[in-house]
Amino acid sequence: MLQDEEDATETGNGWEEWTQGKALVRPADQLELTEAELKEEITRILTADNPHAPQNIVRYSFKKRSYKPISAVDQMAVHFVLEGSLVHQDSEEARKLRVKEERMIYIYYKHLIVDFPQVQPVADRGEVEEIGDEDRPDSAASRINKKEPKVTNQFNFSDRASQTLNNPMRVGRRDWEIYDAYLQELQKQEKNKEKQKATTSNKDNGKSKKVMPMETQSDDIIRWTKASKILERTISQNTFDDIAQDFKYFEDASDEFREQEGTLLPLWTFWYDKAKRLSVTALCWNNTHQDLFAVGFGSYDFSKQGCGMLVFYSLKNCTFPECIYPTSSGVMCLDIHVQHSHLVAVGFYDGCVAVYNLKEKGEEPVYKSTAKTGEHTDPVWQVRWQNDDMDNNHNFYSVSSDSRVVSWTLVKNELVFTDIIRLTLNGAVSEGPEGAQPYNIASGTCFDFHKQIDYLFLVGTEEGKIHKCSKTYSSQFLETYDAHSMAVDAVKWNQFHPKVFISCSSDWTVKIWNHTINTPMFIFDLHAAVGSVSWSPYSSTVFAAVTTDGTVHIFDLNVNKYEAICQQPVVAKNKTKLTHIEFNPIYPVVIVGDDRGYVTSFKLSPNLRKKPKVRVLTSFLHHSQLPLVPHQLKQIR
C-alpha cells in the first residue's frame, strides 16, 4: 500500500487535480455583458416590508368627497404566536411563587382546621416549651420521619377542587331572608292544608253541610296569573322583537323624497278567536296607560244580532287580550274615564248602558241600566264621560236612536238617569210624554262635548243633521246644521280650536265646520262611505278617516287643503270594511278596526306628524277663518 502511494506521488496522478485551477463553464444561453456593464454596481436594500401587503388601498373621504389612497399599510406578518407560562425552577421568580403558594396553603388550613391539637397560640410560650423535641415540628426527628409537603405545582397552577372546601355554608343577610321566606311559605301551605281538611258541619234538618274555604286557593291563583302574564308578555316581545324595534326607532327615510306625502308602517295586528265573526264597533285609548286600549265587538247588520264582547289589548302583548268581558248584546260604543281609567262606560244594541270596573273581579258590570231605570229602547250609539257633579258622583251621557240624550249618574249601587234633550225633525224640542209625537222624533247617532265649554255639545242624527245643544237650555236647539244627505257617523270637536268641529257620513264626505257659520268651510269627497274620523292629538290641522273600501285617509290642512297627504289601503278591497280609527295620545300610532274583528296598528311616517310653522299656519287660519289659540302658539314655539 505504501508502495502504491509512493508510485502515485512520483507520477503525480493524485495531486494534479487539486493543484490545477478550475475552469469556468459558461452556459450556452448566458447573456454576454460589456465591460462597463460588468463594472456597474447595483445596490440592493433589504426592508421589512411585507411583499403580500396591498399597496393600492383607497378609502372614501366624506370631507373631500373623493377617494384617497392610504399611505400607512400594516406590513407586519405574524406566522406563529405562543404565549408561554413556564418558569425555570431555579429562577428567582419560581422561588417567589413557591413561597407565595406555601403561605396561602398555610393561611387556608389555619383558618379551616380550628380543632388541630398541635397548634398553640404564639403568645403561650410555656406550653410550647413543654413539648418534647421529637414532637416539635422543627426538630431533626420530625424531619426524618415526616415527609416534606409536596408543592402542588411549581408553575403556579392549581386545582380549585382539591384546595377548597366543597359547598361551604354561606351565611349572609340575603341568605337568611330567603331561608325565612321559604319557612313562611311552608307554614302557609301547611295551614292551607289544615283548612282544606277541616270541615264545619251545620245541622240543617238532620243533614250536615261541608263548607270548604275558598280563600285558600285565591292567593295561589293570583300569583300564578301574574307570573303567567309576565311570562306571556316576555315571550311575545321576544317573538315580535323586530316590530318593537320598528315601533321605537324606525323612521321612513324615503319621506325626504316624497315632498309632503307620507306612509303608514304596519305594526301589530290584534285579533281574538271568539270575536272573529264580530265587527269592531268601538275603539278607545286609555289616557293613563298609553299602551292599553279597549275594543268593542258587535254587529252593524241589524238582521244578525247576537252576543258581543268588550276586550282590552296592550301593545306589549298582541297575541292575547288583557281582559275579556262577554256580553249578552252587541257592544255599540264605549268610553274610558280620563281620571279614573278603571271605569269604562259601554252602550249596547238592546238600549242598555253599563259601567265596568277593571279592578273588580268577575265578568259582570258594576252598574247596569234596566227598563225600570230608564234604559233606551233603541241601540245606544255613543257614550261620553263628563266631569263629576256637585256631590262628586261620576256621570256620563248617552245618545240613542230613540231620540233621547240621557245623563247617567253613578249613585251607590244604581244608575240614576236624567233626560237632557229629545231630538226632533223640525228643530224644536219635543214636549210631552214619550210616544206622543212619534212622527216628529229624530234618531241620534253620535255626539261630542266641547273641550273647553262644559255645557256645549253637538248631536248628529240619522237624517243627516247636526244640532248644537246646551245642557242647561233644553227647550230648543242652539243651532241646526244641514250637514249631510245621509246619517252622520261621527262628529268631533277640535281640541285646539274652540270653534271648529268635523263630521263624516255615509254620503262619502268629510266636512269641517265653524260652529258660528251654517255652511262648512271644507268638504272632502273620499269616494266611499266614511266610517269614522278622528283629530290628531299633536296638530290642529291633521285628521284621519277610514272608508268602507279599506283605505285610510290622512289630511294635513297646513300642507294641502284639497287632497290627502296619505291614502293607503290597509285591507283587501271589496272584502273587508274599515269601521273605526283612533290616534294614540302619546305615540305616533293609529289603530284601525274592521268588520272582521281585526285591529291593526300603524306607525305614522315623519311627514304625517309634522308640527305646523307659525307663518304658514297664521296665513292658513286667516284664509280659512280658523282662530289661532295661545295654546297652539305655545306648542309651535
Side-chain angles (χ1 to χ4, degrees), residues 467-625:
H467 303 291
K468 182 169 65 174
C469 309
S470 174
K471 295 180 184 178
T472 58
Y473 190 73
S474 59
S475 60
Q476 62 181 5
F477 304 130
L478 301 181
E479 189 70 45
T480 299
Y481 309 92
D482 292 329
H484 299 275
S485 59
M486 297 181 68
V488 181
D489 293 328
V491 57
K492 294 184 179 181
W493 287 97
N494 191 302
Q495 58 184 347
F496 296 104
H497 299 280
K499 294 184 179 181
V500 178
F501 67 91
I502 192 171
S503 64
C504 68
S505 172
S506 300
D507 62 357
W508 298 9
T509 60
V510 174
K511 297 183 180 181
I512 298 178
W513 303 77
N514 186 334
H515 77 91
T516 60
I517 305 174
N518 290 331
T519 57
M521 294 184 298
F522 294 97
I523 301 176
F524 301 98
D525 189 353
L526 303 185
H527 306 287
V530 184
S532 177
V533 68
S534 178
W535 289 105
S536 71
Y538 54 84
S539 176
S540 61
T541 59
V542 177
F543 66 91
V546 291
T547 53
T548 56
D549 61 352
T551 306
V552 175
H553 306 261
I554 298 181
F555 290 81
D556 190 350
L557 302 180
N558 182 33
V559 176
N560 193 334
K561 304 177 185 178
Y562 308 102
E563 295 180 354
I565 60 176
C566 177
Q567 290 183 348
Q568 183 170 330
V570 297
V571 294
K573 191 175 182 181
N574 299 328
K575 292 184 178 181
T576 305
K577 299 179 181 179
L578 299 182
T579 56
H580 287 273
I581 185 171
E582 287 292 336
F583 283 88
N584 186 282
I586 300 296
Y587 306 114
V589 174
V590 293
I591 52 176
V592 179
D594 55 40
D595 61 349
R596 294 195 175 188
Y598 287 83
V599 178
T600 309
S601 58
F602 298 90
K603 183 177 181 180
L604 304 173
S605 64
N607 282 352
L608 300 182
R609 56 178 191 267
K610 288 182 178 179
K611 294 183 179 180
K613 297 180 180 180
V614 178
R615 295 180 180 178
V616 178
L617 183 59
T618 305
S619 176
F620 162 71
L621 295 175
H622 175 73
H623 292 290
S624 60
Q625 300 179 357

Side-chain angles (χ1 to χ4, degrees), residues 47-62:
T47 61
D49 294 342
N50 183 8
H52 301 289
Q55 303 295 333
N56 56 351
I57 297 179
V58 295
R59 290 185 180 176
Y60 185 79
S61 175
F62 290 93

Side-chain angles (χ1 to χ4, degrees), residues 39-189:
K39 293 182 179 180
E40 182 181 0
E41 295 182 358
I42 299 175
T43 305
R44 292 185 178 181
I45 301 175
L46 298 178
T47 61
D49 294 342
N50 183 8
H52 301 289
Q55 303 295 333
N56 56 351
I57 297 179
V58 295
R59 290 185 180 176
Y60 185 79
S61 175
F62 290 93
K63 181 179 180 180
K64 297 182 179 181
R65 296 185 178 180
S66 62
Y67 287 93
K68 298 293 182 182
I70 297 177
S71 59
V73 180
D74 189 11
Q75 302 291 338
M76 182 177 179
V78 180
H79 299 284
F80 179 75
V81 176
L82 176 63
E83 296 183 0
S85 58
L86 300 179
V87 180
H88 197 273
Q89 62 179 356
D90 297 333
S91 63
E92 183 67 19
E93 186 177 0
R95 188 188 65 81
K96 291 181 180 180
L97 291 175
R98 285 196 296 269
V99 173
K100 182 179 179 181
E101 190 172 2
E102 292 174 0
R103 186 184 295 111
M104 295 299 296
I105 294 173
Y106 170 74
I107 293 174
Y108 173 76
Y109 280 103
K110 180 180 179 181
H111 289 282
L112 184 64
I113 306 174
V114 295
D115 297 331
F116 193 61
Q118 284 79 6
V119 178
Q120 299 295 336
V122 179
D124 194 0
R125 297 293 183 181
E127 296 181 2
V128 175
E129 294 177 356
E130 293 178 359
I131 299 176
D133 293 339
E134 296 179 357
D135 297 331
R136 292 178 58 185
D138 57 346
S139 62
S142 63
R143 288 197 299 270
I144 294 173
N145 299 328
K146 186 178 180 181
K147 296 182 179 180
E148 294 183 0
K150 183 180 179 180
V151 181
T152 305
N153 196 317
Q154 58 183 347
F155 302 119
N156 198 23
F157 292 130
S158 60
D159 188 3
R160 288 181 176 271
S162 61
Q163 294 188 358
T164 57
L165 182 63
N166 293 332
N167 299 326
M169 189 174 80
R170 301 178 180 179
V171 180
R173 179 179 178 183
R174 183 61 182 169
D175 299 329
W176 283 117
E177 290 178 355
I178 297 174
Y179 179 73
D180 294 340
Y182 273 110
L183 287 181
Q184 293 177 1
E185 184 66 22
L186 289 175
Q187 293 176 0
K188 188 175 182 180
Q189 291 179 2

Side-chain angles (χ1 to χ4, degrees), residues 332-335 345-355 368-370 373-386 395-410 415-423 442-449 457-460 469 471:
M332 293 288 104
C333 56
L334 63 90
D335 189 31
V346 181
F348 299 96
Y349 178 80
D350 59 0
C352 177
V353 294
V355 176
K368 190 173 183 180
S369 64
T370 61
T373 58
E375 72 175 8
H376 295 280
T377 57
D378 285 334
V380 181
W381 295 109
Q382 195 83 48
V383 289
R384 280 287 182 270
W385 286 101
Q386 292 297 296
N395 68 93
F396 65 93
Y397 280 62
S398 65
V399 64
S400 172
S401 298
D402 61 358
S403 76
R404 297 167 57 204
V405 178
V406 183
S407 171
W408 303 89
T409 305
L410 282 62
L415 287 175
V416 178
F417 77 99
T418 302
D419 286 342
I420 300 300
I421 201 170
R422 192 178 295 273
L423 305 176
S443 300
T445 56
C446 58
F447 73 125
D448 192 28
F449 287 86
F457 65 95
L458 298 169
V459 181
C469 309
K471 295 180 184 178

